[in-house]
Amino acid sequence: MENTNNENYEKIDFLQAQEEVCKHLFAYADSLVLRSAIELRIADIIHSNGQPMSLSELASKLEAPSPNLSSLARIMRVLARKKIFTVNYEKLSLSPGDDEPGVALYGLTPTSKCLLHDQELSFAPIFLTFTHPVMVDGWFEIGRSIKEGGTPFELAHGAPLWEMTSKDANVNKLFIAGMTAASNTSLDAIISEYKDGFNGMEGTLVDVGGNVGKVVSSIVKAYPHIKGINFDLPPTIANAPQYPGVTHVGGDMFKEIPSADNVIIKSVLHDWGDEEALLILKKCQEAVAEKKGKVIIVDMVLHPDRHAMFDDASIALDLLMMVTFSAKERTEDEWKKLLNEAGFTHINFIPLHTSMSFSIIEVFN
């Protein structure tokens, strides 16, 4: 009898193990089905309608002459099951004894509202960027990179991402859209939660790797006593719009960063390994040395043993950095070690109430 019970427990354990493996096996399905809904702008269609919609109503708003209703129904079933959209059933007939479930009506949830395209804090561009085949292909080369060395992205494409963005306008547009949206999600927190730091600043603030200037221009708009300098590669600066109180400067952060009273560097250092990050930090230090200013790093601080909001996503983003750039996110201890090596003697961590465990790291001497 005891053997039979043991066998039953082993079978149950094995089934549970198989179930767990299946979750991982088909995890990509959830991401790619959601991607299809973003591409189809399903959330936007429901939002524009102002109320939940039936499948046929949704289909009629798609930019397609004869949409596949069966496939649409099946992806909406998955997305409702995952609570991306709500689903409720409306009876077409009020006849007694009518057991028909009625017509499914799909509505928005807080999650799907995050995916509306035409809003500043939309996650849609981020999702479309990081699930794009160009970005995903490198993940298939992780095993080879472990055995043979090299960056998985470069093994997949034969070139680093920066080279691809400089030569392929579509890849560049995709990447800028994703990065701009990612910046937007944390910008309000940076401006509001570091207000004492910005209020106490004088003179110039150079944003290193500032892309087209959204971050520094938003800071200058909120704190107009600060004079902004947006610093990035010349091809990026060439496409940057003009902002009041901001000067665009093209250059190479590995060679020289414009002299300023203070430096801000957001979501740049995680794109590089320690050797390159150390060089960038030393150039930042040189830029503020004359005025004895601060370097303000806005980046992720990893908590590998914590299970708070966004911690799992932060660990996944660390893998994305590994795959794309052979770079990494850093723990607090890793940040301290790197910053001490760069010569900074004062380090202050300020966690932000924003997505992906972002923090402000103040460093100065």
Side-chain angles (χ1 to χ4, degrees):
M1 185 70 174
E2 186 176 344
N3 286 340
T4 303
N5 286 337
N6 287 339
E7 288 175 4
N8 287 337
Y9 284 127
E10 287 175 3
K11 287 179 181 178
I12 291 170
D13 288 343
F14 188 58
L15 285 172
Q16 289 174 336
Q18 287 180 321
E19 181 194 27
E20 189 63 29
V21 170
C22 283
K23 287 179 184 177
H24 295 289
L25 172 61
F26 295 113
Y28 72 91
D30 292 339
S31 296
L32 297 185
V33 165
L34 181 52
R35 176 187 172 85
S36 70
I38 296 170
E39 290 177 318
L40 293 168
R41 293 179 172 256
I42 289 174
D44 300 87
I45 291 170
I46 297 172
H47 179 70
S48 296
N49 191 57
Q51 61 184 12
M53 301 175 71
S54 69
L55 201 67
S56 59
E57 289 173 328
L58 275 172
S60 71
K61 299 296 183 180
L62 298 177
E63 295 179 0
S66 54
N68 187 322
L69 276 176
S70 174
S71 295
L72 181 60
R74 289 156 77 176
I75 72 160
M76 293 306 293
R77 178 171 63 191
V78 171
L79 294 170
R81 181 180 175 86
K82 296 293 179 180
K83 297 182 169 48
I84 306 295
F85 295 98
T86 63
V87 60
N88 292 293
Y89 294 90
E90 182 180 76
K91 290 271 190 180
L92 294 180
S93 170
L94 299 178
S95 304
D98 181 4
D99 294 326
E100 289 296 318
V103 174
L105 298 177
Y106 297 97
L108 299 178
T109 65
T111 303
S112 46
K113 288 177 183 177
C114 284
L115 300 171
L116 295 170
H117 284 76
D118 298 325
Q119 59 169 343
E120 191 174 16
L121 299 182
S122 175
F123 253 69
I126 304 171
F127 207 98
L128 292 175
T129 296
F130 292 119
T131 58
H132 192 280
V134 167
M135 302 300 293
V136 171
D137 283 348
W139 292 78
F140 292 95
E141 302 294 344
I142 292 174
R144 183 152 72 105
S145 74
I146 289 171
K147 291 192 293 184
E148 302 174 9
T151 302
F153 186 95
E154 293 182 36
L155 292 175
H157 296 289
L161 176 61
W162 305 127
E163 185 177 321
M164 291 185 68
T165 56
S166 67
K167 294 180 178 179
D168 188 322
N170 290 328
V171 174
N172 189 51
K173 183 179 178 181
L174 171 78
F175 191 70
I176 287 177
M179 293 304 94
T180 302
S183 285
N184 288 344
T185 61
S186 56
L187 196 48
D188 285 348
I190 295 166
I191 290 170
S192 62
E193 295 179 39
Y194 192 62
K195 61 183 177 181
D196 290 342
F198 290 130
N199 278 326
M201 275 187 190
E202 295 180 359
T204 52
L205 173 67
V206 59
D207 185 1
V208 177
N211 202 303
V212 294
K214 181 65 184 290
V215 171
V216 73
S217 66
S218 298
I219 292 170
V220 169
K221 183 178 180 180
Y223 303 93
H225 66 281
I226 297 172
K227 297 175 182 177
I229 301 170
N230 180 52
F231 178 68
D232 213 309
L233 293 169
T236 302
I237 293 300
N239 296 315
Q242 296 301 310
Y243 301 101
V246 175
T247 302
H248 295 294
V249 177
D252 184 342
M253 64 185 172
F254 289 102
K255 295 178 180 177
E256 186 178 18
I257 292 170
S259 178
D261 293 277
N262 296 282
V263 162
I264 188 167
I265 181 165
K266 180 184 181 299
S267 300
V268 171
L269 295 171
H270 74 161
D271 290 340
W272 302 96
D274 287 344
E275 185 178 340
E276 295 87 356
L278 188 60
L279 180 55
I280 296 167
L281 283 166
K282 287 181 177 179
K283 293 299 178 184
C284 289
Q285 189 181 51
E286 290 172 11
V288 298
E290 185 180 341
K291 303 292 180 66
K292 297 182 179 180
K294 291 180 181 179
V295 176
I296 302 149
I297 300 161
V298 184
D299 232 316
M300 191 175 296
V301 177
L302 275 188
H303 299 278
D305 300 319
R306 194 179 72 179
H307 296 279
M309 188 181 292
F310 294 111
D311 281 343
D312 285 345
S314 301
I315 295 295
L317 194 59
D318 175 55
L319 292 178
L320 177 65
M321 295 301 103
M322 178 190 79
V323 168
T324 310
F325 305 113
S326 288
K328 62 181 180 180
E329 305 297 345
R330 295 173 172 89
T331 65
E332 186 169 315
D333 286 343
E334 288 171 328
W335 276 115
K336 286 178 180 176
K337 182 175 182 293
L338 181 66
L339 293 166
N340 285 331
E341 286 179 11
F344 293 104
T345 55
H346 293 80
I347 304 169
N348 184 28
F349 290 87
I350 306 169
L352 296 174
H353 295 89
T354 184
S355 62
M356 306 304 286
S357 303
F358 274 104
S359 290
I360 285 176
I361 311 169
E362 285 184 321
V363 293
F364 54 96
N365 291 325

